[in-house]
Amino acid sequence: MELLSGLLGRMSLDYLPTEPATIGAAVGMPLGALGVAAALTYFKKWGWLWNNWLTSLDAKKIGVMYIVVALIMLFRGLFDALMLRLQTAVAVNGASGPFDTDTFQQVFTAHGTIMIFFVAMGLMFGLINVVMPLMIGARDMAFPWLNSVSFWLFVAGMILNNVALIFGGFSPGGWLGYPPLTGLEYNPGPGVDYWIWSLQIAGLGSLFSGINFIVTILKKRAQGMTLMKMPIFPWSVLVTSVLIALAFPILTATLALLSLDRLMGMHFFTSDMGGNPMMYINLIWAWGHPEVYILVLPAFGIFSEVVPTFARKALFGYKTMVAALVAIMFFSFIVWQHHFFTMGAGANVNAFFGIMTMIIAIPTGVKIFNWLFTMYKGKIWFTAPMVWFLAFVVTFTLGGVTGVMMAVPALDFQVHNSLFLVAHFHNTIIGGVVFGFLAGITYWFPKVFGFRLYDAMGRWSAYLWQIGFILAFMPLYILGLMGAVRRLDHYSDPTWQPFFIVSGIGVLVILAGTTMLVAQVAYSIWKRKELVDTNGDPWDGRTIEWSVPSPAPHFNFASTLKVTQRDDWWYKKQAGKHLTPPPPSAYKDVWLPKNSASGLLVGAGAGMFGFAAIWHMWWLLVVALVFVVAVVIRRTYDTNSEFMIPAKELMQEDLLVYKRRNA
Amino acid sequence: MRANHKLAVGIGIVALLAGLFWWLIAGAQIDVLAPKGVIAQQQKTLFIFTIALSAIVVVPVFILLAMFAYKYRDTNPKHKGYDPEWKENSKLEAVWWGIPIVIIGILAGVTWYTSHSLDPYREIESKHASIPVQVVALQWKWLFLYPEQGVATLNYVVMPKDVPVTFSLTADAPMSAFWIPALGSQIYNMNGMTSKLNLMATELGEYRGYSTNINGRGYADMSFTANVVGRDDFYSWAEGVTTSSSIAGINENIFNALKTPSVEKSAITYKLTDPELYNHIVGSYMPHMMHDEPEDATMDAMHMEGHH
């Protein structure tokens, strides 16, 4: 018996799910995974999956895997949202909703955590991986293997987050898990530990990615591409990555301190023995606020590519756009206290942070005007990415207004932690981040897969999302002003109910919009011959990623690229230079990283480590740690990690591209 | 669909949504916008002011967006003025740097001023002295202590109209937050420390109060009533409690029972015989108190039990 408890830590059968909803998920998720595995076996696709995807160090493939995982998680997060709104549509005045309080609290924690860490971050890292190297004329990331490690740490965190549903339950403490509620005293069970370790592991991956992106952008740009000739999307990635590199260590340290409190009975954030939960709240938001900008800046970058391309006109005010990005980066680090004006700081402190917060509205507003004046005197082609842009301006601007309102501390005291706040941040995150990334996916899809997405369905998805958003969140603003606070699993005032029902209908419309996206992909695969991208430049693009064929080859660029100006590809086309191939001397042997399974193994080891820490299986913790270190050390001795594509081969392939272009 | 048809469909959807929200809002009781206290009243004014100020930028953005999208669409048969190289104009840019800077400048001034004038810690000026009320957030109930009146209440608070009240807030529970939307401003309740909130009601009535910060399973049931009565009624109510023979005094046993996590919706009245009760609750989290005062050891032992 003692041996068993030594082996299994604190596991017991009591932790199996008991609620119908969680039992359903606990049975459904493994069945789904089994179904996929069976299909892979039946179609003999395991080798293809392993060699072409899972072990690939090609940034574009890693990027696609990020996006696939993130889209699956988007459905998980949306179903969570649906559960929340189903509950609040019913559970009024003593009527019980479909879920008990424990389930409800775990679901809103999971919804927030999944949507931020595994959807928004996943889509962002995915898009960056797919196009950032292509846009700066690089063949790969600076550290391709580290990139794969980042991805697998992301996956390990995602899996831990979902395993909680099957065994042990998730944290009921909200997406940022304030102690003392998440401390040992009030929540000793494994739920909070699942939350900690899924974020800790995914967060480490994010930090590695941030560093990787910075080095890639600073060291691997094409010849002639000075920083001020670089497109805005890579600029936004650079700025975001600086934020990641500075902010994520704070998250790692904060979660580490909280887990020391929980695993070793320390007192960093307890209320007694000299601990101080206010310290946690400061630290978590010192990461959390930059995190919001980490997500939204790349979305700004995407629109800075989408709008000029479809307006067929140079971006208005390039230098201002760069300056605005850098200004936002700077200010995003000195506003974190606005998340807790109500914690009792003095008037001077509150006023300072409030004013810093509203200052961010200035560069953000300038960016919006610059996009608008990019449309001015343009010839706008209203594809799905442009419809996403219109929805973005409408939604994000409204979110900006409520943001500026909440930046006034005296006003925040009346709306903080109410549904007004919930509506506000969905207004900016859905309007900014989600709409931006969906525009980006539609825009760059042909570059990766060689065919466009069927546009009408993309536009319909944008309309549904926009209408669904209004239905789901405008009622929440009013509810907040009526006194409805966030995270209520039931309430007593029947006049709130119609608002909650309309909001629930809004979630259904958003779900329909998301289903439309999936249908769009399926339909486009079916019609891929008609939607094929023959010349690699389906939108008559401006930046150099459109100069290579679609799907982009593993090596990205056949010849050594020389960039002379912004929108280099557009002006090359204007001058007719895109028709003459470069001289043979421009083709050099190219070395690319070979496939490697060791990134996947590091992710597996890290996941095991987290699982062991959650369940107090100390032997497994040690085994997992030793395993990860061993894999990393072995990789460092792997001298045969690259393969070469000879210049001749590249030239032959490239000449075919030029031949097609001239035909 | 032709552009005109699309426009008609768009306007139709917008009208439908507007109608829906009109129907929802009509008759709804919106506490924050129907203030019953001096602080909430000023916050409502601030609310409307910031919306109006933001509109100076937001309305032009929406108009320009609609105009440019309509006029410069490539399907516009009367399209003209395409100029792919028009990409810089420092005068125009100065306008949209300048106007937001002025607006945010004004708002920054207002922010500085109201952060002080509406600071929850600032006592409200009145011809009447402020009444101190101590608030303890528990899992999942609200305990109110009136040290001057010798009264304690559970899940309801009585306030005299037009008399300022100074709330001292703490918790013997995970972080909670105290909010009466009709009266204004919320503030966190935290273990082992006191935060302050000054409010003054200006209308008689019963208003709802909430905990806005999640503090465990019973969080949704953690609401209370703020009962605003006339000044004389307030004092006679307090005297009625202290002289009543059927109302028990709150003691450590009762308090320990209250702080055991449970949902408790009933409103209960106690006598407050120990004016130091609040200080003991706050002090129970402080290390030096544990050594100095043996009676706190029981409270501390209760906390430690949670660890196993």
Side-chain angles (χ1 to χ4, degrees), chain A residues 606-621:
Chain A
M608 256 193 314
F609 183 92
F611 191 76
I614 291 162
W615 290 104
H616 299 178
M617 299 156 80
W618 309 123
W619 65 271
L620 183 63
L621 193 93

Side-chain angles (χ1 to χ4, degrees), chain A residues 101-102 105 108 172-173 178 180-181 184-186 188 267 271-274 276-278 281 311-318 320 324 339-340 342-345 347-348 350-352 354-355 358-359 361-363 366 368-370 372-373 375-382 389-390 393-394 397-398 401 404-405 407-418 420 459 467 470-471 474-475 478 480-483 485-490 493 496 498-499 502 542 566 570-571, chain B residues 1 6 13 17 20-21 23-25 28-33 40 43 46-47 50-51 54 57-58 60-62 64-65 68-70 72-75 79 81-89 92-93 96-97 100-101 104 107-112 114-116 118-121 139 172-175 177 179-188 190-193 195 208 210-221 223 265 284-285 287 290 300 302-304 306-307:
Chain A
T101 305
D102 284 336
Q105 296 189 339
F108 68 63
Y178 284 8
L181 182 61
L184 267 189
E185 184 179 347
Y186 295 107
H267 291 273
S271 298
D272 50 4
M273 311 291 280
N276 193 339
M278 293 197 291
I281 294 168
R312 299 173 177 115
K313 184 167 162 284
L315 180 71
F316 187 87
Y318 172 94
T320 318
H339 294 275
F340 45 90
T342 50
M343 206 158 76
N348 287 347
N350 282 348
F352 170 81
I355 292 168
M358 51 190 72
I359 286 176
I362 300 169
V366 167
I368 289 182
F369 278 106
N370 279 8
L372 288 179
F373 278 82
M375 288 165 69
Y376 177 68
K377 287 175 185 287
K379 207 170 173 183
I380 309 161
W381 180 12
F382 275 105
F389 171 72
L390 298 183
V393 175
V394 173
T397 309
L398 287 177
V401 172
V404 168
M405 291 170 75
V408 182
L411 193 44
D412 179 73
F413 294 141
Q414 265 296 54
V415 288
H416 179 66
N417 268 358
S418 73
F420 189 94
R459 278 178 276 147
I467 294 168
I470 292 170
L471 288 172
M474 293 301 140
I478 304 160
L481 299 178
M482 291 168 84
V485 298
R486 65 197 297 198
R487 294 167 174 166
L488 295 179
D489 59 307
H490 60 269
D493 188 337
W496 293 1
F499 291 87
V502 171
R542 312 182 67 83
R566 278 175 219 151
W570 171 267
Y571 293 108
Chain B
M1 273 196 288
K6 279 187 191 169
I13 290 173
L17 287 174
L20 175 69
F21 285 111
W23 170 76
L24 273 177
I25 294 171
Q29 169 64 34
I30 302 176
D31 278 4
V32 170
L33 301 182
Q43 285 167 324
L46 194 55
F47 185 91
T50 50
I51 290 186
S54 310
V57 175
V58 171
V61 165
F62 286 173
L64 289 177
L65 180 73
F68 293 169
Y70 190 74
Y72 293 105
R73 69 189 195 280
D74 61 356
T75 51
H79 190 285
Y82 177 53
D83 185 356
E85 288 305 309
W86 190 82
K87 57 186 173 186
E88 248 159 59
N89 186 323
L92 273 176
E93 285 199 272
W96 58 75
W97 276 101
I101 285 176
I104 296 297
L107 194 58
V110 171
T111 297
W112 187 265
T114 54
S115 293
H116 289 86
L118 293 173
D119 181 4
Y121 281 59
Q139 278 187 324
D172 207 344
M175 197 173 99
W179 186 34
I180 309 167
L183 302 186
S185 286
Q186 61 185 296
I187 275 291
Y188 289 164
M190 290 173 285
N191 292 339
M193 53 194 129
S195 34
R208 281 172 303 183
Y210 308 90
S211 171
T212 67
N213 203 69
I214 181 162
N215 56 2
R217 198 167 282 152
Y219 160 70
D221 288 307
S223 55
K265 286 188 160 179
S284 66
Y285 286 90
M290 291 176 202
D300 187 51
M302 281 195 59
H303 279 286
M304 299 308 280
H307 290 243

Side-chain angles (χ1 to χ4, degrees), chain A residues 294-310:
Chain A
I294 287 168
L295 294 175
V296 85
L297 291 179
F300 289 172
I302 289 166
F303 287 126
S304 302
E305 305 303 329
V306 162
V307 178
T309 301
F310 293 106

Side-chain angles (χ1 to χ4, degrees), chain A residues 577-648:
Chain A
K577 283 188 199 154
H578 64 304
L579 298 173
T580 21
S585 63
Y587 298 94
K588 307 245 158 57
D589 293 350
V590 167
W591 290 87
L592 287 173
K594 281 184 183 169
N595 281 7
S596 165
S598 49
L600 190 155
L601 293 178
V602 169
M608 256 193 314
F609 183 92
F611 191 76
I614 291 162
W615 290 104
H616 299 178
M617 299 156 80
W618 309 123
W619 65 271
L620 183 63
L621 193 93
V622 175
V623 169
L625 191 64
V626 170
F627 176 75
V628 169
V629 173
V631 170
V632 174
I633 291 177
R634 195 183 168 281
R635 167 75 190 178
T636 61
Y637 282 95
D638 194 352
T639 49
N640 182 23
S641 64
E642 290 187 326
F643 69 98
M644 194 260 279
I645 308 175
K648 217 174 182 180

Side-chain angles (χ1 to χ4, degrees), chain A residues 108-143:
Chain A
F108 68 63
T109 307
H111 170 78
T113 313
I114 285 175
M115 286 300 200
I116 293 290
F117 279 86
F118 302 110
V119 179
M121 292 292 272
L123 292 177
M124 177 182 95
F125 286 139
L127 278 169
I128 293 174
N129 265 291
V130 167
V131 291
M132 186 271 279
L134 272 167
M135 290 185 87
I136 62 170
R139 292 215 158 79
D140 208 329
M141 289 294 172
F143 310 113

